[in-house]
Structure formats: C-alpha cells, structure tokens
Amino acid sequence: MREELVALAKLAAMDDSARDIETELKEIPQRLEELSAGVETLESLLAQERQQVAEAEQLKAQQTEALKERAEGLQRARKKVAQAQRIKEAEAAEREVEANRRVIREGEEELGRIRAAIEAKETSLFEREKDFKEAKGVLDSEQGSSTTRIGELERKRDEMLAGRDELVAKISPRVVRTYERLRKGLPNAVIVIEDATCIACRMALPAQLTIELRRADELHQCPHCRRIIIYKGTVED
C-alpha cells in the first residue's frame, strides 16, 4: 500500500500543478460562447430595429399619399365653393373644405410624429450597429487568439502530465476512483501532512488516525473535509 500512496501523492501533485491550465481550457470555450451569444443577441435586435424602421417608412409613405389625396380633395371642395349657385350648395362645400382641412392638419401632425419616430429609431439603429460591429470584432479577435492559446495550454498541460498514466497504473482502481471522485469537487484532493492537523481544513485529526497514517498500510481520509490524507514520512521514505 505504501507504494500506492507514494504514487497517489505524486499523481495528485501533478494534477494540482495542471489544475489552473485545465480551468483556463474550460473557460476559453465558455468565454467564446458568451461572446457569440452576445453577438447573436445584438444581430437579432438589429434585425428587429431595421424592420421597425422599414415599417415606419412604409407608414410614412402611406400617410404622405393620404395627405396628397386629401389635398386634392380640398382643391375640389374649394372649386365647389366657387361654383356654388345656391346657399345650401355653398355651405355644404364649405363644410367639405373644413373637413378636409381638419383631416389634413391631423394627418400632418401624425406624419410629424412618424418622422420623429423614424429619426429616433435611426439614431438607435446607428448606435446598435456600432455595438454590433464592436462585439463582432471582439469575437473574431478572441476566436483567433483562443485557438493559439488553447494550443499553448494543451502543450504545457501535456508536458506537466507526462508520466501520469504510469502513476495511475501503480494505484489500485478502487483508490483511483475515490481520488477522481474527490478531485471533481475539491481542490487538492490529496493532502500530505506533517503532524496531527489537516492542512486543508485546519482541523485536528484523531490520535488513532495519526498513528494509522504513519503505518501507511491503507487509504485514509480526513474525517472533516473528506480529502485523502497521507503522512509526509511515507512520501519521503
């Protein structure tokens, strides 16, 4: 068992040294995914705002055409006033004139609101396009640099983990499973101690456990944090 514990301590030290690299290798794709999601969101918002501007422009064209028709109707009503030969005809024509004027006035006010809305949307669209181009540029840059960085990290990790398989082969499958399960949720899953204290959780160990650790004839875990604990003398011997 002593040889297994020595190999396990070396394996844990090797894995701990490469932990930061493993973390960064996981974070890079996550970072790219977040940037990509941001770009997709901005692109979707751009499409929506462009559609809104297009719809507003269409509404403006319709309103402009309606005002043109009302202006023509106003001219016809004025001719009716000028050509009226009876009072009732003149009064009816005047009412028609006034009705067209009112509709034209309201239509012009509505057209003004549409133009203001288009101007505001175009300003917002301009800013959104700037944000999109900036975000897309960052994403493109990150994708390029990330490829290089991942290659560098993988080479460095492989160098650090050289000989790992040989160490694993010296340890029983049961111990390896326990170790792998612990290191998924705990940093420094294996602790080498010098006295009766777990240096990970700072808790004192039972006296009997300390005696058994010195024997190095079985696997022990800290009763408080559940990390695997190995006596320093076992590794040094």
Side-chain angles (χ1 to χ4, degrees):
M1 187 65 191
R2 183 180 296 270
E3 291 183 1
E4 277 193 60
L5 293 174
V6 171
L8 180 60
K10 291 179 179 179
L11 175 65
M14 182 181 291
D15 287 338
D16 289 344
S17 68
R19 186 173 60 246
D20 290 343
I21 291 177
E22 294 283 4
T23 299
E24 188 174 351
L25 281 170
K26 291 178 182 177
E27 289 175 347
I28 289 175
Q30 292 173 355
R31 165 73 175 161
L32 290 175
E33 187 176 344
E34 290 171 0
L35 289 173
S36 180
V39 168
E40 288 179 4
T41 297
L42 287 172
E43 192 169 23
S44 177
L45 290 172
L46 265 178
Q48 291 176 18
E49 292 190 1
R50 285 171 179 153
Q51 179 63 28
Q52 289 170 358
V53 170
E55 290 173 354
E57 288 286 358
Q58 184 178 9
L59 185 59
K60 184 181 76 171
Q62 292 172 351
Q63 188 69 12
T64 300
E65 182 62 27
L67 283 172
K68 180 181 177 182
E69 292 176 0
R70 279 294 177 176
E72 292 173 353
L74 178 60
Q75 292 300 321
R76 289 193 296 271
R78 284 173 174 167
K79 287 182 179 179
K80 289 180 182 178
V81 172
Q83 296 173 356
Q85 296 180 354
R86 297 178 181 178
I87 295 176
K88 287 185 178 181
E89 290 178 355
E91 289 175 347
E94 286 289 353
R95 286 194 297 272
E96 188 177 343
V97 167
E98 184 57 33
N100 278 286
R101 284 175 177 169
R102 184 178 66 255
V103 172
I104 289 172
R105 183 169 60 251
E106 292 172 351
E108 287 175 343
E109 291 173 356
E110 178 63 19
L111 184 59
R113 287 191 289 270
I114 294 171
R115 285 171 175 162
I118 290 173
E119 184 177 350
K121 279 294 180 183
E122 287 178 339
T123 300
S124 175
L125 183 59
F126 177 75
E127 293 299 323
R128 189 82 68 188
E129 286 174 340
K130 284 173 55 180
D131 292 342
F132 172 74
K133 289 177 181 178
E134 182 179 347
K136 187 69 166 60
V138 171
L139 175 61
D140 292 343
S141 176
E142 286 279 342
Q143 286 176 330
S145 62
S146 292
T147 301
T148 302
R149 181 59 178 163
I150 288 173
E152 293 172 352
L153 290 171
E154 287 178 340
R155 285 191 295 272
K156 189 174 181 180
R157 179 195 59 188
D158 292 344
E159 291 173 3
M160 286 184 171
L161 298 180
R164 188 181 190 279
D165 291 342
E166 288 77 1
L167 288 173
V168 171
K170 295 178 181 180
I171 308 169
S172 67
R174 177 184 64 84
V175 173
V176 170
R177 285 195 299 270
T178 299
Y179 166 68
E180 292 293 352
R181 175 177 54 80
L182 287 171
R183 83 183 188 105
K184 286 180 180 179
L186 292 171
N188 308 111
V190 176
I191 301 296
V192 177
I193 64 171
E194 296 185 54
D195 51 30
T197 302
C198 174
I199 60 175
C201 64
R202 308 288 185 181
M203 298 296 289
L205 301 173
Q208 182 61 36
L209 177 57
T210 304
I211 294 171
E212 293 175 0
L213 282 170
R214 291 176 183 272
R215 293 175 184 164
D217 55 4
E218 62 179 304
L219 187 73
H220 290 286
Q221 292 177 247
C222 173
H224 307 290
C225 67
R226 305 306 300 165
R227 288 177 172 85
I228 296 171
I229 46 179
I230 300 174
Y231 179 58
K232 187 177 181 181
T234 301
V235 180
E236 291 179 341
D237 293 345

